[in-house]
Amino acid sequence: MTTVPSFSNAKVLVIGDVMLDRFWHGQATRISPEAPVPVVKVSDVDDRPGGAGNVAVNLAALGVATTLSGLVGDDAHAVLLRAAVEEKGVRWSVMPCAAETIVKLRVMSRSQQLIRLDFEGSFSDYVDSSFLQYSTNLIAEHDVVLLSDYAKGTLNQVGSLIDACRRQGVPVLVDPKGSDFERYRGASIITPNLSEFEAVVGACFQDDDLISSRARNLCVTHDFDAVLVTRSERGMTLQTKEGEPLHLPALAREVFDVTGAGDTVIAAIAAGMASHEPLETATRLANVAAGLVVGKVGTAAVTRSELSDALQAEPLFDRSLLANEGVVTEAEMLSAVAQLKAAGKRMVLTNGCFDILHPGHVSYLSEAATLGDVLIVAVNSDASVSRLKGDDRPVNNLDARMSVLAGLRS
C-alpha cells in the first residue's frame, strides 16, 4: 500500500508564471434589467496565489520547504500576492518588473463560476540575464526544480533554466504549455494534460497503448526521462523512456472545480521526488491528491494529512495486480478483488473450459465485460475438463487455454 512520506526534509524551487487569483463571491438572485445576465451582489473577496504561486502553495501544504521565483509588477496586486504566498509558508524570491501583475478574477455564486476576467500582459521582455542569473542561483539549495509554464513569458528562456538544472544534477519537472515540446528538451519529467499532449502527438482516442507509445517517443525525441499525461476522468498515464507504462484510474468521488488540478499533480510528484520516493510512488500520490483537490472550489491545495487520510480510508486498486489484464494467480486475484471492492468497482465473474475457443465464446465474454468494471474469467483445470468431456480432453492444456483467453480484448 502507498504511504505518505513526511516531506519534512524536501526542498523544491518553483519558477514560473506567478499570478493573483481573485474570487468575488456573492448571491445571484435576479437578472439584470440591462441585459440577460445575472446580477451578483458581491459579499466577499478572496485573494489566492495562482499559476506558479498555486503550485508553490500546494507544495507547502504537503510540508515541503518551498521557494517561489518568477516575475510580478511593482504594484498593489504584487503586494497582495506576496502576502498570500508567504501566509502559506512559501519563501518569496520573485523579482518585480515594469509589467503589471497578472490577475485572474472569477465571479462566483453558490460555488459556481459565472465569469472569469483576465488582466494580463507578457513578461517576455523582462526575462533578461539578470532574472536568469537570479533564478539559477537558487537551484543548488533545492532537491527538485519545478517549472510552471502558463505561457505568460516568465519561462521564455526555459531551455537555459533546464540546462542549469542538468549541470547541477537537480531533477527538473515541467508543466508545459503550447505545442512546442522541444523547448523543454532535457527535462526530467513533463506533465501535459491530454489536450496538450494530443496537440503535439495527434489524437489518441483514449487508447492506453497509443498514449504510451507516443509518450515514449516524446521521451526519446526530446530527451525526457518520463512523460505523465493527465487524462481527466480517465486518470493518468506515466511513461518512462524505457520502462512499462503505469495507468492509474481517476479517484475523484465528487468534482466541484478542476481549477488548478494540474498544479496539485505536479506539486505532489515534485514532493515525492524531493523526498527520494520512486517515481511510480510519487505518481500514485499525485493521483490521490488530484482526486481530492477537484472536490474543492477554486485554486486549492491538499495537505499531507488529507492525503494520508484518503489513503487509509480508501485503499487504491493497483491495476498492475492484474498483470495488464492477463493471467494471475489465485493469491493475486484475491488481493485485487479486495482492492476492487474497496474502490467501489463492479466485478463480473464467469467460468468455463474454453478448450476449443470459438466465436460463441468471444461473443459471450465481450457481452459479459459490458456488465461491470472488471471481468474475471475462471478456467477449469485439465483434470476437471477430462471429467466433464472425456479422457481425450482437453486438447489444449490449462496454460495454453489461459494464454489464449488473455489475448481477448474483453
mmCIF file of all heavy atoms in Angstrom, residues 70-90:
data_model
loop_
_atom_site.group_PDB
_atom_site.id
_atom_site.type_symbol
_atom_site.label_atom_id
_atom_site.label_comp_id
_atom_site.label_asym_id
_atom_site.label_seq_id
_atom_site.Cartn_x
_atom_site.Cartn_y
_atom_site.Cartn_z
ATOM 1 N N GLY A 70 9.979 34.094 -9.918
ATOM 2 C CA GLY A 70 9.270 34.483 -11.132
ATOM 3 C C GLY A 70 9.301 35.988 -11.278
ATOM 4 O O GLY A 70 10.208 36.655 -10.752
ATOM 5 N N LEU A 71 8.300 36.537 -11.969
ATOM 6 C CA LEU A 71 8.218 37.975 -12.198
ATOM 7 C C LEU A 71 6.817 38.480 -11.845
ATOM 8 O O LEU A 71 5.818 37.809 -12.129
ATOM 9 C CB LEU A 71 8.510 38.303 -13.668
ATOM 10 C CG LEU A 71 9.944 38.073 -14.150
ATOM 11 C CD1 LEU A 71 10.006 38.098 -15.674
ATOM 12 C CD2 LEU A 71 10.890 39.125 -13.561
ATOM 13 N N VAL A 72 6.756 39.655 -11.238
ATOM 14 C CA VAL A 72 5.488 40.342 -10.973
ATOM 15 C C VAL A 72 5.693 41.826 -11.241
ATOM 16 O O VAL A 72 6.824 42.292 -11.416
ATOM 17 C CB VAL A 72 5.007 40.152 -9.518
ATOM 18 C CG1 VAL A 72 4.570 38.731 -9.258
ATOM 19 C CG2 VAL A 72 6.081 40.598 -8.532
ATOM 20 N N GLY A 73 4.599 42.558 -11.262
ATOM 21 C CA GLY A 73 4.707 44.001 -11.392
ATOM 22 C C GLY A 73 5.073 44.643 -10.065
ATOM 23 O O GLY A 73 5.021 44.001 -9.009
ATOM 24 N N ASP A 74 5.443 45.898 -10.134
ATOM 25 C CA ASP A 74 5.726 46.664 -8.918
ATOM 26 C C ASP A 74 4.461 47.425 -8.560
ATOM 27 O O ASP A 74 4.362 48.644 -8.737
ATOM 28 C CB ASP A 74 6.901 47.607 -9.179
ATOM 29 C CG ASP A 74 7.383 48.304 -7.906
ATOM 30 O OD1 ASP A 74 6.892 47.933 -6.822
ATOM 31 O OD2 ASP A 74 8.228 49.208 -8.003
ATOM 32 N N ASP A 75 3.458 46.683 -8.063
ATOM 33 C CA ASP A 75 2.137 47.274 -7.874
ATOM 34 C C ASP A 75 1.430 46.681 -6.652
ATOM 35 O O ASP A 75 1.961 45.794 -5.974
ATOM 36 C CB ASP A 75 1.270 47.082 -9.130
ATOM 37 C CG ASP A 75 1.251 45.637 -9.625
ATOM 38 O OD1 ASP A 75 1.329 44.723 -8.772
ATOM 39 O OD2 ASP A 75 1.144 45.405 -10.843
ATOM 40 N N ALA A 76 0.226 47.172 -6.393
ATOM 41 C CA ALA A 76 -0.532 46.731 -5.218
ATOM 42 C C ALA A 76 -0.906 45.259 -5.293
ATOM 43 O O ALA A 76 -0.965 44.571 -4.265
ATOM 44 C CB ALA A 76 -1.792 47.593 -5.068
ATOM 45 N N HIS A 77 -1.174 44.764 -6.504
ATOM 46 C CA HIS A 77 -1.530 43.352 -6.643
ATOM 47 C C HIS A 77 -0.357 42.449 -6.261
ATOM 48 O O HIS A 77 -0.557 41.360 -5.697
ATOM 49 C CB HIS A 77 -1.974 43.063 -8.082
ATOM 50 C CG HIS A 77 -3.322 43.627 -8.405
ATOM 51 N ND1 HIS A 77 -3.586 44.288 -9.586
ATOM 52 C CD2 HIS A 77 -4.474 43.637 -7.695
ATOM 53 C CE1 HIS A 77 -4.842 44.671 -9.605
ATOM 54 N NE2 HIS A 77 -5.406 44.301 -8.468
ATOM 55 N N ALA A 78 0.859 42.884 -6.555
ATOM 56 C CA ALA A 78 2.038 42.104 -6.173
ATOM 57 C C ALA A 78 2.178 42.049 -4.656
ATOM 58 O O ALA A 78 2.583 41.017 -4.093
ATOM 59 C CB ALA A 78 3.294 42.707 -6.804
ATOM 60 N N VAL A 79 1.843 43.140 -3.993
ATOM 61 C CA VAL A 79 1.894 43.166 -2.524
ATOM 62 C C VAL A 79 0.898 42.165 -1.941
ATOM 63 O O VAL A 79 1.220 41.401 -1.021
ATOM 64 C CB VAL A 79 1.591 44.591 -2.000
ATOM 65 C CG1 VAL A 79 1.516 44.588 -0.474
ATOM 66 C CG2 VAL A 79 2.657 45.572 -2.479
ATOM 67 N N LEU A 80 -0.323 42.148 -2.492
ATOM 68 C CA LEU A 80 -1.333 41.192 -2.031
ATOM 69 C C LEU A 80 -0.901 39.757 -2.313
ATOM 70 O O LEU A 80 -1.094 38.863 -1.482
ATOM 71 C CB LEU A 80 -2.670 41.475 -2.728
ATOM 72 C CG LEU A 80 -3.396 42.751 -2.325
ATOM 73 C CD1 LEU A 80 -4.574 43.004 -3.273
ATOM 74 C CD2 LEU A 80 -3.882 42.658 -0.888
ATOM 75 N N LEU A 81 -0.312 39.552 -3.484
ATOM 76 C CA LEU A 81 0.129 38.214 -3.875
ATOM 77 C C LEU A 81 1.237 37.711 -2.965
ATOM 78 O O LEU A 81 1.211 36.559 -2.500
ATOM 79 C CB LEU A 81 0.585 38.227 -5.334
ATOM 80 C CG LEU A 81 1.092 36.910 -5.925
ATOM 81 C CD1 LEU A 81 0.077 35.801 -5.756
ATOM 82 C CD2 LEU A 81 1.413 37.108 -7.407
ATOM 83 N N ARG A 82 2.199 38.569 -2.679
ATOM 84 C CA ARG A 82 3.291 38.165 -1.785
ATOM 85 C C ARG A 82 2.753 37.784 -0.410
ATOM 86 O O ARG A 82 3.168 36.763 0.172
ATOM 87 C CB ARG A 82 4.321 39.278 -1.665
ATOM 88 C CG ARG A 82 5.447 38.916 -0.707
ATOM 89 C CD ARG A 82 6.585 39.921 -0.731
ATOM 90 N NE ARG A 82 7.686 39.467 0.122
ATOM 91 C CZ ARG A 82 8.879 40.044 0.159
ATOM 92 N NH1 ARG A 82 9.148 41.093 -0.615
ATOM 93 N NH2 ARG A 82 9.817 39.561 0.959
ATOM 94 N N ALA A 83 1.833 38.595 0.109
ATOM 95 C CA ALA A 83 1.258 38.308 1.426
ATOM 96 C C ALA A 83 0.534 36.966 1.420
ATOM 97 O O ALA A 83 0.651 36.177 2.365
ATOM 98 C CB ALA A 83 0.306 39.429 1.832
ATOM 99 N N ALA A 84 -0.194 36.687 0.333
ATOM 100 C CA ALA A 84 -0.940 35.429 0.237
ATOM 101 C C ALA A 84 0.000 34.238 0.146
ATOM 102 O O ALA A 84 -0.275 33.164 0.706
ATOM 103 C CB ALA A 84 -1.868 35.471 -0.981
ATOM 104 N N VAL A 85 1.122 34.407 -0.557
ATOM 105 C CA VAL A 85 2.099 33.326 -0.707
ATOM 106 C C VAL A 85 2.828 33.060 0.607
ATOM 107 O O VAL A 85 2.944 31.915 1.058
ATOM 108 C CB VAL A 85 3.109 33.677 -1.822
ATOM 109 C CG1 VAL A 85 4.326 32.760 -1.765
ATOM 110 C CG2 VAL A 85 2.439 33.572 -3.186
ATOM 111 N N GLU A 86 3.307 34.138 1.242
ATOM 112 C CA GLU A 86 4.071 33.973 2.480
ATOM 113 C C GLU A 86 3.197 33.477 3.622
ATOM 114 O O GLU A 86 3.677 32.770 4.520
ATOM 115 C CB GLU A 86 4.757 35.283 2.843
ATOM 116 C CG GLU A 86 5.855 35.672 1.852
ATOM 117 C CD GLU A 86 6.623 36.915 2.241
ATOM 118 O OE1 GLU A 86 6.038 37.770 2.956
ATOM 119 O OE2 GLU A 86 7.794 37.033 1.842
ATOM 120 N N GLU A 87 1.929 33.817 3.593
ATOM 121 C CA GLU A 87 0.992 33.322 4.609
ATOM 122 C C GLU A 87 0.913 31.793 4.598
ATOM 123 O O GLU A 87 0.675 31.152 5.630
ATOM 124 C CB GLU A 87 -0.400 33.908 4.368
ATOM 125 C CG GLU A 87 -1.435 33.470 5.383
ATOM 126 C CD GLU A 87 -2.831 33.950 5.034
ATOM 127 O OE1 GLU A 87 -3.010 34.541 3.946
ATOM 128 O OE2 GLU A 87 -3.755 33.705 5.841
ATOM 129 N N LYS A 88 1.125 31.208 3.421
ATOM 130 C CA LYS A 88 1.078 29.747 3.275
ATOM 131 C C LYS A 88 2.420 29.079 3.563
ATOM 132 O O LYS A 88 2.556 27.863 3.401
ATOM 133 C CB LYS A 88 0.628 29.383 1.857
ATOM 134 C CG LYS A 88 -0.760 29.904 1.494
ATOM 135 C CD LYS A 88 -1.849 29.319 2.389
ATOM 136 C CE LYS A 88 -3.225 29.773 1.941
ATOM 137 N NZ LYS A 88 -4.296 29.212 2.809
ATOM 138 N N GLY A 89 3.418 29.875 3.944
ATOM 139 C CA GLY A 89 4.705 29.301 4.301
ATOM 140 C C GLY A 89 5.694 29.174 3.162
ATOM 141 O O GLY A 89 6.709 28.473 3.286
ATOM 142 N N VAL A 90 5.434 29.848 2.054
ATOM 143 C CA VAL A 90 6.320 29.797 0.885
ATOM 144 C C VAL A 90 7.319 30.954 0.939
ATOM 145 O O VAL A 90 6.955 32.089 1.241
ATOM 146 C CB VAL A 90 5.510 29.870 -0.427
ATOM 147 C CG1 VAL A 90 6.436 29.911 -1.636
ATOM 148 C CG2 VAL A 90 4.558 28.697 -0.526
#
